[in-house]
Amino acid sequence: MQSFKSKGLIAFISALLCVSLAFVFMVNRASAHKVSHDAETLKAFNDAFMEQVILGDELFHGATMEGINMSNTGMACAMCHPFSSDVHPHEYPKFQEQMSEFATLRDMINWCIEKPNEGEIIDPDGEAMKALEAYIYWSNRGSVLDPGRH
Amino acid sequence: MTDNKHDRDQVVGNVDITRRTFLHKSLLTGGAVATGSAVGVFQTLSSMEIASAAMSEPFSFAWVSDTHLYPRELNQRFIDKTVRAFSEVQAMGDKFDFMVFGGDLAQLGHPVEIELGAELLQEVTIPKHFIPGEHDWYLDLGESWNKHFGETPWTFDHKGVRIIGVDSVGRAPDYWSARGMSNEERMAHMSGLDGSQAGPWSGLGSEQRQWLSSTLSDWPKDAPVIIFSHTPFYEYFPPWNFWIRDWREVQEILAPWQNVTNIHGHVHQPLYNEIGGMRSIGMLATSWPWPYAPEGVPELTRPMLRVDPGDHFDGVGWGNLAMNAEAHMEVEYMMWREQVFGVGRADSGTGDNVNQKLSPRISDRGWTGD
Ligand SMILES: [Fe+2]
Ligand SMILES: [Fe+2]
């Protein structure tokens, strides 16, 4: 009985710990999903996403941020891709004709920055790239996944 | 890749056929034509083979538009392409009775950009006629433009054709005063094609529609009319102002005339449609090509071959147009590449959009996260 009791207590404490850790490290721990999400939490997740979408939208339409220079021609992404059309994020990864290689969306974003825009390529895992990706995916949401399509 | 391109041309046959669009229905449908999905609102005529009593004395003219010049130090590339277009027009000058500049000379409507344009335009010494684009207008509401190139609308008769130029950009509903925008902010919102703030800015407006109506009133119904505008005279894709908002009223005015051709810029792409008794033809930009509208193109349009974004001379150019002896329009897209039109769906620049769903941008809507 004793051992059962103590096992039960340990389980109880671990559960408590898990719940509190889940709140503390909500976005960092795999255990985050062990509690249900209230509306406020979901809004916080969405706000974190939309913040990136809006930053990406600005960058895509010619804004800049410290440490990057995406264009030296006055060209912005949106000048060839209004509404981010003809970006086709849902078709990556694929063989990319311009690059003559198998490429991801991030590869292609950097190709456009370097070639048509004559800018400086950005960190493929950096803040600007993630924001651009967030905007492009958001703007194309509902498109049907079709990787590899030319 | 080069080999493939060559093969496609051989399949099509004579390169001239791929470059030149004779705007007869029979010829438009005669070849291997790739089309995007038709947009349902168009009422398409079964034929434009109009038995026109009015024969025309043939003549040719040139169209250049959408140079989108920045100040010299910011962008040399658009200057290079503008210079190339103007010098090619000038080199063929003997052939052309006049040149039309179809708007968007400047990128941000700045007097420096407009003056640069005026300077480059001096290369062309044949008679020139001008209509404004939205990029020329919304910094100072047309002040610099009108000073350099005169007011719009205008009209003249030429070899049996009534020729008209209209302003389809300068009569936007006021989106700036209530929001307290500066002139620069007003221009910035206008200069993004996919912006959310400038609204349905393209249209003729009632005053200009009345002018159009009275200008045509003494013209025989079977005699040809050419109307130059920056934006197309029908509803192609309103979110990018690929239309005039009062196109229905304008169609009503034009309906009695049997041979009306609308030549327009703004879309930066080959485009063709027939609606009512009118054909509407979209011309190339010299600066860069816009993608085709996400919903597809009018059924009668032969979409251009996909553009190579690595070559900034690709997908752009100018127009060599003619009114032939049968009073039909002929258009040659003077594109700086061998093959103009797509053949297969995957080459067409529209066939790729089947799985694509798009949303308008959000950051210019004042989204706060609430
Ligand atoms: Fe334009
Ligand atoms: Fe325009």
Side-chain angles (χ1 to χ4, degrees), chain B residues 202-223:
Chain B
S202 174
L204 297 196
S206 60
E207 199 189 323
Q208 202 173 201
R209 289 200 305 273
Q210 268 168 29
W211 176 89
L212 180 63
S213 192
S214 66
T215 297
L216 283 170
S217 59
D218 65 344
W219 193 244
K221 302 288 185 286
D222 58 355

Side-chain angles (χ1 to χ4, degrees), chain A residues 43 47 50 53-54 57-58 61 72-75 78-88 90-91 97-98 111 115-116 118 135 138-144 146 149-150, chain B residues 1 70 74-75 77-78 107 193-194 237 239-240 288-291 294 306-310 346 349 351-365 367 369-370:
Chain A
K43 184 180 174 306
D47 285 355
M50 290 310 294
V53 169
I54 286 168
D57 183 336
E58 292 291 328
H61 286 81
N72 281 314
T73 57
M75 293 296 285
M79 286 167 75
C80 294
H81 303 283
F83 287 180
S84 78
S85 65
D86 276 18
V87 178
H88 303 136
H90 50 289
E91 295 178 359
E97 194 172 0
Q98 285 81 11
W111 185 89
K115 307 285 188 214
E118 294 173 12
Y135 169 68
W138 174 83
S139 189
N140 281 268
R141 69 198 186 284
S143 299
V144 180
D146 197 2
R149 184 189 179 86
H150 176 73
Chain B
M1 296 302 149
Y70 284 98
L74 191 60
N75 179 312
R77 170 191 297 194
F78 288 177
Q107 170 64 7
L193 187 75
D194 60 351
F237 193 60
W240 298 346
W288 78 90
W290 288 121
R306 276 195 209 200
V307 172
D308 174 4
D352 204 23
N353 289 338
V354 288
N355 293 317
Q356 177 183 262
K357 208 175 155 197
L358 298 171
S359 293
R361 61 180 304 207
I362 186 164
S363 74
D364 66 343
R365 283 188 240 161
W367 187 86
D370 297 322

Side-chain angles (χ1 to χ4, degrees), chain B residues 66 104 134 230 266:
Chain B
D66 297 280
D104 285 352
E134 79 278 15
H230 184 63
H266 184 60

Side-chain angles (χ1 to χ4, degrees), chain B residues 98-273:
Chain B
F98 56 87
M99 181 185 102
V100 175
F101 188 88
D104 285 352
L105 179 68
Q107 170 64 7
L108 293 170
H110 198 278
V112 166
E113 298 170 346
I114 289 181
E115 273 154 33
L116 172 62
E119 184 194 316
L120 301 180
L121 275 156
Q122 287 173 4
E123 166 77 14
V124 180
T125 56
I126 56 174
K128 287 168 281 194
H129 304 281
F130 297 90
I131 53 171
E134 79 278 15
H135 286 259
D136 304 314
W137 202 265
Y138 281 90
L139 184 67
D140 60 9
L141 297 179
E143 203 186 306
S144 304
W145 176 268
N146 284 344
K147 194 180 95 194
H148 282 278
F149 306 116
E151 291 185 6
T152 334
W154 42 256
T155 182
F156 61 93
D157 296 343
H158 187 74
K159 298 182 175 171
V161 181
R162 178 142 294 183
I163 293 176
I164 292 169
V166 296
D167 161 23
S168 68
V169 303
R171 291 142 206 255
D174 180 350
Y175 60 91
W176 55 91
S177 300
R179 293 173 179 125
M181 289 180 193
S182 66
N183 294 353
E184 286 75 17
E185 285 167 336
R186 177 178 61 209
M187 185 66 237
H189 281 291
M190 177 58 73
S191 68
L193 187 75
D194 60 351
S196 307
Q197 298 299 310
W201 52 259
S202 174
L204 297 196
S206 60
E207 199 189 323
Q208 202 173 201
R209 289 200 305 273
Q210 268 168 29
W211 176 89
L212 180 63
S213 192
S214 66
T215 297
L216 283 170
S217 59
D218 65 344
W219 193 244
K221 302 288 185 286
D222 58 355
V225 178
I226 300 177
I227 306 179
F228 297 107
S229 60
H230 184 63
T231 42
F233 267 25
Y234 61 101
E235 185 178 313
Y236 169 34
F237 193 60
W240 298 346
N241 277 278
F242 284 6
W243 74 334
I244 48 172
R245 62 182 181 275
D246 47 359
W247 65 273
R248 288 182 185 83
E249 288 94 326
V250 171
Q251 291 300 324
E252 218 165 283
I253 293 166
L254 298 176
W257 283 271
Q258 296 152 19
N259 187 354
V260 181
T261 304
N262 165 229
I263 311 279
H264 67 86
H266 184 60
V267 295
H268 302 194
Q269 60 193 229
L271 203 61
Y272 182 76
N273 198 19

Side-chain angles (χ1 to χ4, degrees), chain B residues 270-290:
Chain B
L271 203 61
Y272 182 76
N273 198 19
E274 293 169 358
I275 180 159
M278 182 195 81
R279 54 177 86 79
S280 191
I281 306 167
M283 304 305 295
L284 300 172
T286 63
S287 51
W288 78 90
W290 288 121

